[in-house]
Amino acid sequence: MKNNKQIIIAVLLLVVILGVWGVHHHLHRVSTSDNPIRIEDVPNNSTNDSTMPGLLLSKEEAMQLASEQIDLNAYNLSFAELKKIGSENYYLFDVVNKSGPSFGTQLAIHERTGEVLAYDPGNQELMSMTKFPIATPIAEQQDWNGIFVPVENSTASKGFTIELFQSDQNRFEFKVTYAEDETIELYQVAEIDGSKANYQNEDGYAIAFVKNGKSLAIKETGNSPWAEKELVLQGEYEQKVEENK
């Protein structure tokens, strides 16, 4: 009788063991199917999300920037693609002459900075807008002289003054001072490209100038000399009217 009880107990243990193994095997098959879903398999498009505020331009915003360079009464503007050129993304637009074919050169808008460039799709080359087939506002030559101060609603900190001294057609000297602290000063040279100009130091700090007559727009990237004092150079400026002597 004792042997029979031992046999029954052994059979029950075997059934339990087989049952547990079967459940585990089933779960293992489910979790290791032919197409398992893992976090790393889910496409991460956050770096191309054009809705991220302050980081990337949307296609509509890029279209607006492109349309500001084109006479829409004479030309049609159409979106071509978002293309990676080098290590950066650019919105590319075709410009079509209403009385003829489209230009081979496209408008390229930098996805992060909004910089406007010309793009040769044949040579896959980005170029200055001075080489675009038609005259555009961004390529117009400007007088890079004068004293500029922030406009009323500018994002720039009040107290900044920017003085421009053009030496030739390719460059100008600029001096940035902050009225409340004369120790904050920058005196450097910027390279001219139409109505744009650029300055960059060895540490990667850069200033982009865009001029339209007596108006001056400043965009800065990197760590500025006045960042620790929470002063912002970037913003809209207007030419200061010189008082009659």
Side-chain angles (χ1 to χ4, degrees), residues 211-239:
K211 192 170 184 294
N212 181 13
K214 297 183 181 298
S215 298
L216 181 69
I218 297 290
K219 181 176 178 61
E220 57 181 340
T221 54
N223 294 321
S224 73
W226 33 79
E228 292 184 359
K229 298 194 177 185
E230 299 182 351
L231 297 174
V232 179
L233 179 67
Q234 179 169 300
E236 301 293 327
Y237 292 74
E238 61 185 354
Q239 189 166 354

Side-chain angles (χ1 to χ4, degrees), residues 120-174:
D120 182 348
N123 296 325
Q124 299 186 16
E125 178 185 7
L126 290 168
M127 304 175 294
S128 164
M129 280 298 289
T130 58
K131 297 184 178 180
F132 199 75
I134 58 175
T136 61
I138 201 70
E140 291 180 358
Q141 296 298 320
Q142 297 284 328
D143 177 10
W144 295 93
N145 291 286
I147 300 174
F148 294 81
V149 293
V151 299
E152 184 64 29
N153 297 320
S154 177
T155 57
S157 300
K158 301 302 181 185
F160 271 119
T161 299
I162 302 176
E163 298 180 67
L164 308 181
F165 316 91
Q166 186 170 358
S167 53
D168 55 43
Q169 292 184 342
N170 300 314
R171 61 190 60 83
F172 62 83
E173 296 174 332
F174 67 94

Side-chain angles (χ1 to χ4, degrees), residues 44-89:
N44 183 1
N45 296 322
S46 60
T47 56
N48 291 322
D49 184 1
S50 296
T51 64
M52 295 175 66
L55 294 179
L56 302 178
L57 294 176
S58 67
K59 183 174 72 173
E60 290 72 22
E61 290 170 329
M63 172 69 84
Q64 177 61 38
L65 290 174
S67 66
E68 292 172 359
Q69 302 302 317
I70 301 300
D71 180 0
L72 297 179
N73 292 320
Y75 305 98
N76 289 323
L77 187 67
S78 62
F79 172 70
E81 61 178 321
L82 176 62
K83 183 180 180 66
K84 189 169 187 177
I85 304 173
S87 60
E88 301 290 339
N89 287 334

